[in-house]
Short mmCIF file of all heavy atoms in Angstrom, two decimals:
data_model
loop_
_atom_site.label_atom_id
_atom_site.label_comp_id
_atom_site.label_asym_id
_atom_site.label_seq_id
_atom_site.Cartn_x
_atom_site.Cartn_y
_atom_site.Cartn_z
N MET A 1 112.46 124.25 110.33
CA MET A 1 112.78 124.03 109.04
C MET A 1 114.45 123.86 108.91
O MET A 1 115.06 124.87 109.47
CB MET A 1 112.25 124.87 108.06
CG MET A 1 112.75 124.67 106.59
SD MET A 1 111.61 125.61 105.33
CE MET A 1 111.79 127.24 105.96
N ARG A 22 118.43 129.06 97.14
CA ARG A 22 118.27 128.53 98.45
C ARG A 22 117.53 127.18 98.41
O ARG A 22 116.61 127.01 97.64
CB ARG A 22 117.49 129.45 99.51
CG ARG A 22 117.63 129.16 100.83
CD ARG A 22 117.20 130.29 101.75
NE ARG A 22 115.71 130.52 101.50
CZ ARG A 22 114.85 129.92 102.37
NH1 ARG A 22 115.15 129.07 103.32
NH2 ARG A 22 113.52 130.22 102.29
N ALA A 24 115.73 124.07 101.01
CA ALA A 24 115.40 123.81 102.47
C ALA A 24 114.44 122.48 102.48
O ALA A 24 113.90 122.09 101.45
CB ALA A 24 114.68 124.94 103.07
N THR A 25 114.38 121.94 103.67
CA THR A 25 113.65 120.71 103.94
C THR A 25 112.56 121.02 104.92
O THR A 25 112.73 120.82 106.18
CB THR A 25 114.43 119.52 104.34
OG1 THR A 25 115.56 119.37 103.35
CG2 THR A 25 113.71 118.23 104.38
N PRO A 26 111.41 121.52 104.54
CA PRO A 26 110.44 121.71 105.55
C PRO A 26 109.81 120.47 106.27
O PRO A 26 109.75 119.47 105.59
CB PRO A 26 109.22 122.47 104.81
CG PRO A 26 109.53 122.11 103.33
CD PRO A 26 110.99 121.74 103.23
N THR A 28 106.92 120.56 108.29
CA THR A 28 105.62 120.69 108.66
C THR A 28 104.93 121.51 107.53
O THR A 28 105.58 122.26 106.90
CB THR A 28 105.34 121.38 109.96
OG1 THR A 28 105.87 122.75 109.92
CG2 THR A 28 105.95 120.57 111.13
N THR A 29 103.62 121.54 107.48
CA THR A 29 102.99 122.49 106.55
C THR A 29 103.13 123.85 106.89
O THR A 29 103.34 124.73 106.02
CB THR A 29 101.40 122.09 106.59
OG1 THR A 29 101.20 120.77 106.25
CG2 THR A 29 100.62 123.18 105.67
N ALA A 30 103.25 124.23 108.29
CA ALA A 30 103.53 125.65 108.65
C ALA A 30 105.01 126.03 108.13
O ALA A 30 105.13 127.22 107.79
CB ALA A 30 103.42 125.74 110.24
N GLU A 31 105.87 125.08 108.12
CA GLU A 31 107.18 125.53 107.59
C GLU A 31 107.10 125.72 106.10
O GLU A 31 107.90 126.62 105.55
CB GLU A 31 108.18 124.51 107.98
CG GLU A 31 108.55 124.39 109.51
CD GLU A 31 109.63 123.51 109.80
OE1 GLU A 31 110.15 122.75 108.96
OE2 GLU A 31 110.09 123.56 111.06
N VAL A 32 106.28 125.07 105.30
CA VAL A 32 106.16 125.25 103.99
C VAL A 32 105.63 126.70 103.84
O VAL A 32 105.97 127.48 102.96
CB VAL A 32 105.26 124.27 103.25
CG1 VAL A 32 104.90 124.71 101.82
CG2 VAL A 32 105.91 122.89 103.31
N ALA A 33 104.49 127.00 104.58
CA ALA A 33 103.92 128.30 104.44
C ALA A 33 104.93 129.46 104.82
O ALA A 33 104.98 130.48 104.13
CB ALA A 33 102.77 128.42 105.45
N ALA A 34 105.65 129.24 105.83
CA ALA A 34 106.73 130.27 106.17
C ALA A 34 107.80 130.36 105.09
O ALA A 34 108.22 131.55 104.81
CB ALA A 34 107.45 129.76 107.48
N ALA A 35 108.19 129.30 104.42
CA ALA A 35 109.06 129.46 103.35
C ALA A 35 108.51 130.20 102.12
O ALA A 35 109.24 130.94 101.47
CB ALA A 35 109.45 128.04 102.85
N ILE A 36 107.22 130.00 101.82
CA ILE A 36 106.55 130.75 100.84
C ILE A 36 106.47 132.18 101.12
O ILE A 36 106.78 133.07 100.27
CB ILE A 36 105.21 130.10 100.46
CG1 ILE A 36 105.38 128.77 99.98
CG2 ILE A 36 104.34 130.96 99.50
CD1 ILE A 36 104.02 128.03 99.81
N ARG A 37 106.15 132.57 102.33
CA ARG A 37 106.08 133.92 102.65
C ARG A 37 107.48 134.69 102.71
O ARG A 37 107.55 135.79 102.23
CB ARG A 37 105.49 134.16 104.21
CG ARG A 37 104.01 133.77 104.23
CD ARG A 37 103.29 134.22 105.43
NE ARG A 37 103.83 133.41 106.67
CZ ARG A 37 103.40 132.35 107.02
NH1 ARG A 37 102.11 131.83 106.53
NH2 ARG A 37 103.79 131.69 108.06
N ALA A 38 108.44 133.93 103.07
CA ALA A 38 109.87 134.47 103.12
C ALA A 38 110.26 134.62 101.59
O ALA A 38 110.98 135.69 101.25
CB ALA A 38 110.84 133.53 103.75
N ALA A 39 110.03 133.67 100.76
CA ALA A 39 110.26 133.87 99.30
C ALA A 39 109.67 135.17 98.66
O ALA A 39 110.15 135.77 97.95
CB ALA A 39 109.90 132.61 98.55
N ALA A 40 108.37 135.33 99.11
CA ALA A 40 107.57 136.53 98.55
C ALA A 40 108.33 137.82 99.00
O ALA A 40 108.48 138.63 98.22
CB ALA A 40 106.16 136.38 99.07
N THR A 41 108.74 137.69 100.18
CA THR A 41 109.41 139.01 100.82
C THR A 41 110.70 139.25 99.98
O THR A 41 111.01 140.37 99.61
CB THR A 41 109.76 138.83 102.21
OG1 THR A 41 108.55 138.65 102.94
CG2 THR A 41 110.45 140.06 102.81
N ALA A 42 111.37 138.17 99.58
CA ALA A 42 112.59 138.26 98.79
C ALA A 42 112.44 138.36 97.34
O ALA A 42 113.39 138.55 96.57
CB ALA A 42 113.60 137.12 99.15
N GLN A 44 111.30 135.96 95.32
CA GLN A 44 111.89 134.75 94.74
C GLN A 44 110.63 133.76 94.59
O GLN A 44 109.61 133.84 95.16
CB GLN A 44 112.88 134.03 95.65
CG GLN A 44 114.11 134.86 95.91
CD GLN A 44 115.09 134.29 96.83
OE1 GLN A 44 114.73 133.36 97.62
NE2 GLN A 44 116.20 134.66 96.96
N THR A 45 110.90 132.86 93.59
CA THR A 45 109.89 131.75 93.23
C THR A 45 110.17 130.58 94.12
O THR A 45 111.30 130.50 94.76
CB THR A 45 110.01 131.37 91.78
OG1 THR A 45 111.36 130.84 91.54
CG2 THR A 45 109.64 132.47 90.89
N VAL A 46 109.22 129.76 94.20
CA VAL A 46 109.32 128.48 95.08
C VAL A 46 108.84 127.33 94.35
O VAL A 46 107.74 127.33 93.66
CB VAL A 46 108.44 128.60 96.34
CG1 VAL A 46 108.75 127.48 97.27
CG2 VAL A 46 108.75 130.04 97.06
N VAL A 64 113.73 129.35 95.32
CA VAL A 64 113.78 128.49 96.66
C VAL A 64 113.34 127.05 96.21
O VAL A 64 112.31 126.81 95.62
CB VAL A 64 112.80 129.01 97.64
CG1 VAL A 64 112.92 128.04 98.97
CG2 VAL A 64 113.35 130.42 98.04
N LEU A 65 114.24 126.04 96.47
CA LEU A 65 113.86 124.73 96.20
C LEU A 65 113.49 124.01 97.54
O LEU A 65 114.29 123.98 98.51
CB LEU A 65 115.02 123.93 95.55
CG LEU A 65 114.92 122.58 95.25
CD1 LEU A 65 115.82 122.18 94.06
CD2 LEU A 65 115.23 121.61 96.38
N LEU A 66 112.29 123.43 97.61
CA LEU A 66 111.92 122.76 98.81
C LEU A 66 111.97 121.30 98.55
O LEU A 66 111.43 120.75 97.61
CB LEU A 66 110.47 123.17 99.20
CG LEU A 66 110.23 124.53 99.56
CD1 LEU A 66 108.77 124.85 100.00
CD2 LEU A 66 111.05 125.11 100.71
N VAL A 145 99.34 124.82 100.21
CA VAL A 145 99.69 126.17 100.69
C VAL A 145 99.60 127.05 99.50
O VAL A 145 100.33 126.66 98.46
CB VAL A 145 101.00 126.15 101.32
CG1 VAL A 145 101.38 127.53 102.00
CG2 VAL A 145 101.09 125.16 102.50
N GLY A 149 100.65 132.23 101.48
CA GLY A 149 100.98 131.44 102.70
C GLY A 149 99.78 130.92 103.41
O GLY A 149 100.06 130.15 104.50
N ILE A 175 101.47 124.72 96.74
CA ILE A 175 102.31 123.54 97.06
C ILE A 175 101.55 122.49 97.83
O ILE A 175 100.94 122.79 98.86
CB ILE A 175 103.52 123.98 97.84
CG1 ILE A 175 104.47 124.68 96.92
CG2 ILE A 175 104.30 122.73 98.52
CD1 ILE A 175 105.70 125.18 97.57
N ARG A 424 104.44 133.23 92.07
CA ARG A 424 105.33 132.68 93.08
C ARG A 424 105.79 131.32 92.72
O ARG A 424 106.90 130.93 93.08
CB ARG A 424 104.71 132.72 94.50
CG ARG A 424 105.51 132.47 95.68
CD ARG A 424 106.71 133.63 95.80
NE ARG A 424 105.98 134.90 95.81
CZ ARG A 424 106.44 136.00 95.30
NH1 ARG A 424 107.64 135.77 94.62
NH2 ARG A 424 105.85 137.09 95.21
N PHE A 425 104.95 130.54 92.01
CA PHE A 425 105.29 129.15 91.73
C PHE A 425 105.78 128.86 90.40
O PHE A 425 105.72 127.64 89.85
CB PHE A 425 104.11 128.20 92.10
CG PHE A 425 103.52 128.30 93.57
CD1 PHE A 425 102.32 128.95 93.92
CD2 PHE A 425 104.46 128.13 94.68
CE1 PHE A 425 101.85 129.09 94.97
CE2 PHE A 425 103.99 128.35 96.02
CZ PHE A 425 102.72 128.87 96.20
#
Side-chain angles (χ1 to χ4, degrees):
M1 180 165 54
R22 192 167 69 89
T25 305
T28 65
T29 299
E31 289 186 355
V32 173
I36 293 172
R37 288 192 293 268
T41 300
Q44 296 174 344
T45 57
V46 186
V64 179
L65 182 152
L66 299 182
V145 184
I175 292 181
R424 189 66 49 217
F425 305 118

